[in-house]
């Protein structure tokens, strides 16, 4: 959660991923300041960043919700139709995780990871029982300013990357940038992404003179090391996949032929669970997107 205090109210980045988490975040904000939340900014359309917004709307009816035009389009066009299936999808995931946690053929670190997912699944299923979308009231394409004497905020679209409409929130006086899921740690998230543009967008992000980078998930960063690692991974995958895709090698074969050892080492080391997450959330999807990109095929925003 990022809360920026301006003279006449608070600016909050993302709303939590479910109604209960929205309620919990609102309670935390009330502990921080008596000022109202005047603006809620969505970094992108994925539900884990906006499905808690109802609690904000109830607590501060006059707040304005801000996103890029593309984020609003994807929320209403792509996310909205999936909401009725959210609870069941998480119940299925929980059941699968519970089965994997008992699978003695798997390494202990992997079983422990599945066990953690199985543990939180029931709460998530309950949290997703009644979902309402709150798409942005105010949209922008390149930049949206929230001026203030001591804590001006710029909401910037630096280019496509993790989605078609990623916004980053930049507080130049505090030298803080909230990057949304353009940056996710310990493993990046690459479902339906734009590898070449993502690299350019991350380089622009690195061009901001930040002291604090708040990723969409993961610990606050104080330097550019992790973003550099992401850029290197995107470049190595593009460099390998591009020529194969252009030579007509089918995607399934490219997935088998691409050498991801260095990427795996840089994000997961010897950790088997991180390696599994890296494959599930980053490398497989990234290879697919890079393959489509090299062939000039469109990458459409949709859920995995
Ligand atoms: Zn996310």
């Amino acid at each position: 959660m990022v809360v920026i205090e301006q003279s006449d109210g608070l600016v909050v980045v993302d709303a939590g991923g479910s109604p209960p988490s929205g309620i919990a975040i609102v309670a935390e904000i009330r502990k921080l300041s008596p000022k109202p939340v005047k603006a809620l900014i969505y970094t992108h359309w994925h539900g884990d960043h906006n499905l808690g917004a109802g609690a904000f709307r109830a607590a501060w009816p006059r707040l304005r919700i801000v996103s890029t035009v593309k984020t609003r389009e994807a929320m209403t066009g792509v996310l909205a139709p999936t909401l009725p299936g959210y609870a069941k999808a998480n119940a299925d995931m929980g059941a699968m995780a519970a089965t994997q946690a008992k699978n003695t053929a798997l390494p202990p670190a992997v079983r422990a990871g599945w066990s953690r997912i199985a543990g939180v699944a029931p709460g998530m299923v309950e949290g997703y029982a009644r979902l309402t979308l709150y798409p942005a009231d105010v949209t922008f394409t390149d930049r949206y300013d929230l001026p203030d004497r001591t804590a001006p905020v710029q909401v910037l679209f630096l280019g496509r990357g993790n989605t078609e409409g990623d916004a980053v929130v930049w507080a130049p006086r505090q030298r803080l940038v909230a990057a949304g899921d353009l940056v996710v740690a310990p493993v990046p998230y690459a479902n339906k992404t734009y590898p070449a543009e993502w690299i350019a967008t991350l380089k622009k992000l690195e061009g901001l003179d930040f002291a604090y980078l708040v990723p969409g998930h993961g610990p606050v960063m104080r330097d550019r090391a992790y973003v550099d690692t992401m850029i290197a991974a995107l470049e190595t995958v593009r460099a390998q996949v591009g020529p194969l895709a252009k030579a007509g090698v089918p995607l399934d074969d490219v997935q088998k032929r691409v050498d991801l050892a260095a990427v795996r080492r840089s994000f997961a080391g010897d950790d088997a669970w991180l390696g599994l997450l890296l494959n599930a959330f980053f490398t497989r999807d990234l290879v697919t997107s890079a393959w489509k990109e090299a062939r000039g095929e469109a990458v459409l925003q949709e859920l995995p």
Side-chain angles (χ1 to χ4, degrees):
M1 168 177 68
V2 173
V3 181
I4 300 162
E5 181 180 353
Q6 296 193 321
S7 51
D8 61 343
L10 308 174
V11 177
V12 176
V13 183
D14 288 336
S18 68
S21 66
I23 291 167
I25 293 170
V26 165
E28 286 300 313
I29 292 169
R30 288 202 196 277
K31 284 188 222 163
L32 293 175
S33 169
K35 291 182 185 177
V37 174
K38 61 186 242 190
L40 170 63
I41 299 158
Y42 296 150
T43 54
H44 63 296
W45 67 270
H46 296 154
D48 59 320
H49 296 257
N50 55 56
L51 290 174
F56 285 77
R57 188 56 99 198
W60 301 286
R62 290 153 54 99
L63 73 81
R64 81 196 103 137
I65 302 178
V66 180
S67 81
T68 61
V69 174
K70 291 289 183 191
T71 288
R72 194 182 198 288
E73 281 176 12
M75 279 182 72
T76 55
V78 185
L79 180 59
T82 69
L83 295 188
Y86 246 70
K88 181 170 184 324
N90 276 270
D92 292 349
M93 168 58 93
M96 194 269 273
T99 306
Q100 295 289 70
K102 290 189 204 116
N103 183 351
T104 49
L106 295 172
V110 173
R111 289 179 63 191
W114 285 120
S115 175
R116 284 194 293 277
I117 290 180
V120 298
M124 294 183 79
V125 171
E126 203 181 299
Y128 291 138
R130 270 178 303 280
L131 296 174
T132 307
L133 270 194
Y134 296 86
D137 315 304
V138 180
T139 56
F140 70 97
T141 44
D142 294 319
R143 174 171 170 161
Y144 182 83
D145 276 89
L146 289 141
D148 187 67
R149 221 165 358 91
T150 52
V153 171
Q154 302 166 10
V155 191
L156 306 171
F157 175 70
L158 300 178
R160 301 200 297 184
N162 177 58
T163 71
E164 263 189 309
D166 305 291
V168 308
V169 179
W170 172 228
R173 297 276 174 79
Q174 288 69 30
R175 296 178 61 214
L176 176 143
V177 64
D181 284 3
L182 286 168
V183 182
V184 169
V187 302
Y189 186 78
N191 177 52
K192 311 297 180 295
T193 46
Y194 307 90
E197 291 160 84
W198 198 358
I199 292 168
T201 302
L202 289 176
K203 287 182 175 171
K204 282 191 202 163
L205 182 70
E206 286 193 329
L208 297 172
D209 181 30
F210 65 81
Y212 305 90
L213 186 155
V214 184
H217 304 261
V220 174
M221 299 170 189
R222 300 298 309 270
D223 59 34
R224 288 158 177 76
Y226 186 84
V227 180
D228 284 342
T229 303
M230 283 187 65
I231 291 171
L234 292 166
E235 283 174 343
T236 182
V237 168
R238 283 193 75 239
Q240 292 186 61
V241 171
L244 295 172
K246 285 184 187 138
V249 179
L251 177 57
D252 283 348
D253 292 340
V254 175
Q255 291 282 10
K256 286 181 201 125
R257 279 165 66 172
V258 61
D259 178 5
L260 298 168
V263 173
R264 196 183 166 93
R265 210 176 316 114
S266 61
F267 288 103
D270 300 328
D271 188 316
W273 176 245
L274 272 187
L276 188 149
L277 294 181
L278 187 73
N279 182 55
F281 293 122
F282 186 52
T283 46
R284 243 198 118 65
D285 291 328
L286 181 60
V287 169
T288 301
S289 294
W291 185 83
K292 287 187 175 176
E293 180 181 83
R295 292 163 55 95
E297 290 180 21
V299 173
L300 301 177
Q301 290 300 298
E302 55 193 2
L303 287 166

